[in-house]
Amino acid sequence: MQINTILVTGGAGYIGSHTCVELLEAGYRIVVIDNFRNSKPSVLKRVEEITGKTVVCIEMDIRDRPAMETVFAEHAIDAAIHFAGLKAVGESVADPALYYDNNVSGSLALLQTMAKFGVHTVVFSSSATVYGEPPSVPIREDFPLAPMNPYGRTKRMVEDMLRDLAVADARWRIALLRYFNPAGAHPSGLIGEDPGGIPNNLMPYIAQVAEGRREKLSVFGNDYETVDGTGVRDYIHVADLARGHVKALEKLARQTGVLTYNLGTGQGYSVLEMIDAFEKASGRPVPYRFAPRRPGDVAICYADPALAERELGWRADRGLEQMCRDVWRWQSSGNDKIR
Ligand code: NAD
Ligand code: WQD
């Protein structure tokens, strides 16, 4: 099938905005929908600035079914990339209903509207979090799914929903992309990760400490069985991740059914290695102290990315140094202060 116009839900967000850049550069037309709960409209202006192309953007909630129907009625959508969702693990424990409503009901509203308008091609943002505590590393796609918090369970539920839809109707073309730890920013410094409030994730926290906006990083646990006692993760450059979506779409244009891929590098780094790399890239100190383990954290998590390489011809080619350099360029640009 021919894919020309893509609906990008959550396209103003961190991964969505970088994927919009890749899609526009690959020649696709895009329609972004976002309620800006965790992003700013100015991001899409930046995407236009980077690419020299225009972005159609509609401010709406994916749970608003009439609005969703209008989008499909007014635009000749061929496929959707579905980023819109809430992603803070702690918040999902405190308010699980919010997460089931936003992430699961929201996805259902999207999928039912797609089917109603005869659109059956979708790429879904899943997460390595669906594996929970893996039996071993590297993690393969056929490992058991055992998410350990409500956020992770919303991801598994939407995966389940999509697998069931594909069984019932052979027209579906579905890619489940399980991201490991997205980090980095666009090399222009114009777009990047912009967490509101105190960052939950390591990389933006380190960047804010280096900038001087926060005093010290708390390193959660130094008694894990890892290289230096701190947690090990598979950090993947957001631009590599974004390119993986374009590759997945290309594959879906040729194939029906459900495809599931880990998007990671296959390489793990500890928290202390991340601090060291960021200090070198930024030339700034990142003071830290050891703190107790964060509940629910696993010691080591990294991908076996071989399937995506074999079937999509995709692999991450940006390393840790470039990730840190790009984050620092973004963080020190002040661009995140603009609405
Ligand atoms: P993000 O918060 O930056 O982007 C999500 C976007 O969706 C935001 O712009 C937000 O305003 C929008 N949104 C949320 N709920 C919405 C709704 N009901 N209607 C319309 N728009 C809505 O997050 P991100 O890091 O870019 O993540 C994108 C997707 O990838 C999410 O589904 C997330 O769960 C998943 N994911 C993220 C990570 C990560 O570490 N960043 C890892 C694995 C998976
Ligand atoms: C990385 C490492 C922490 C912050 C989370 C979600 C997961 C996925 C990606 C969406 C761990 C340590 C962190 C800090 C620290 N998101 N750390 N001090 O936990 O691997 O994954 O984001 O799908 O679902 O759970 O990423 O960046 O929070 O932590 O020491 O202030 O850094 O303990 O070892 P995590 P993270």
Side-chain angles (χ1 to χ4, degrees):
M1 71 172 284
Q2 182 79 23
I3 300 175
N4 297 313
T5 304
I6 296 154
L7 178 69
V8 186
T9 77
Y14 173 45
I15 305 168
S17 57
H18 290 81
T19 304
C20 286
V21 169
E22 292 291 326
L23 290 169
L24 291 168
E25 286 178 346
Y28 293 101
R29 275 196 300 273
I30 60 173
V31 176
V32 169
I33 59 179
D34 203 301
N35 64 359
F36 301 114
R37 187 182 191 283
N38 200 33
S39 57
K40 299 169 185 159
S42 62
V43 168
L44 296 165
K45 294 277 160 247
R46 302 304 178 81
V47 169
E48 291 183 332
E49 194 178 331
I50 292 167
T51 60
K53 306 209 171 149
T54 48
V55 175
V56 176
C57 177
I58 299 150
E59 180 170 355
M60 59 165 273
D61 194 296
I62 55 167
R63 291 165 293 183
D64 182 344
R65 285 169 182 260
M68 186 73 88
E69 295 209 358
T70 305
V71 171
F72 279 86
E74 290 183 352
H75 299 273
I77 308 286
D78 300 304
I81 306 186
H82 180 32
F83 295 104
L86 301 175
K87 61 166 182 177
V89 172
E91 185 185 47
S92 81
V93 174
D95 192 352
L98 173 70
Y99 273 66
Y100 291 114
D101 185 38
N102 196 83
N103 294 6
V104 182
S105 303
S107 297
L108 189 57
L110 169 70
L111 295 167
Q112 287 184 306
T113 311
M114 287 177 66
K116 188 166 173 182
F117 285 82
V119 180
H120 292 94
T121 305
V122 60
V123 178
F124 174 60
S125 298
S126 188
S127 168
T129 202
V130 295
Y131 298 113
E133 180 104 56
S136 60
V137 283
I139 300 172
R140 281 198 323 269
E141 289 82 351
D142 59 358
F143 276 25
L145 303 185
M148 301 193 299
N149 53 64
Y151 164 70
R153 284 187 278 277
T154 69
K155 290 293 171 191
R156 184 179 59 186
M157 283 181 188
V158 176
E159 283 202 5
D160 280 340
M161 239 155 57
L162 286 161
R163 282 186 283 264
D164 287 341
L165 290 179
V167 169
D169 185 336
R171 286 174 297 178
W172 281 100
R173 298 164 188 262
I174 295 166
L176 308 176
L177 302 183
R178 295 179 181 153
Y179 315 150
F180 279 67
N181 290 62
H186 192 269
S188 63
L190 288 172
I191 55 173
E193 188 168 10
D194 182 14
I198 301 170
N200 295 309
N201 296 114
L202 180 64
M203 189 61 129
Y205 206 108
I206 289 182
Q208 292 192 7
V209 173
E211 193 194 1
R213 214 197 296 184
R214 301 196 186 274
E215 198 190 321
K216 252 191 180 92
L217 173 77
S218 294
V219 175
F220 300 140
N222 62 345
D223 56 354
Y224 288 110
E225 286 204 16
T226 61
V227 56
D228 55 24
T230 66
V232 168
R233 297 291 184 275
D234 185 339
Y235 299 91
I236 173 168
H237 197 295
V238 66
D240 284 328
L241 196 62
R243 201 166 35 80
H245 293 73
V246 176
K247 291 287 189 186
L249 272 181
E250 287 169 1
K251 175 105 174 146
L252 289 179
R254 303 190 298 269
Q255 196 175 322
T256 57
V258 183
L259 304 167
T260 306
Y261 298 112
N262 286 340
L263 296 187
T265 65
Q267 161 92 51
Y269 290 105
S270 74
V271 177
L272 295 183
E273 287 170 332
M274 295 298 288
I275 294 172
D276 185 55
F278 205 88
E279 285 184 330
K280 288 199 174 99
S282 64
R284 297 283 188 101
V286 177
Y288 65 88
R289 64 171 160 256
F290 290 119
R293 292 181 178 193
R294 187 172 61 178
D297 268 0
V298 301
I300 306 187
C301 172
Y302 59 90
D304 180 342
L307 190 66
E309 176 158 10
R310 203 160 59 239
E311 295 193 358
L312 297 181
W314 171 91
R315 63 182 297 188
D317 50 37
R318 293 163 175 87
L320 183 56
E321 210 186 302
Q322 185 169 355
M323 245 179 277
C324 293
R325 248 188 290 123
D326 290 341
V327 170
W328 182 240
R329 192 179 300 109
W330 156 249
Q331 189 71 37
S332 50
S333 70
N335 282 331
D336 61 324
K337 319 277 184 307
I338 296 162
R339 245 200 84 74

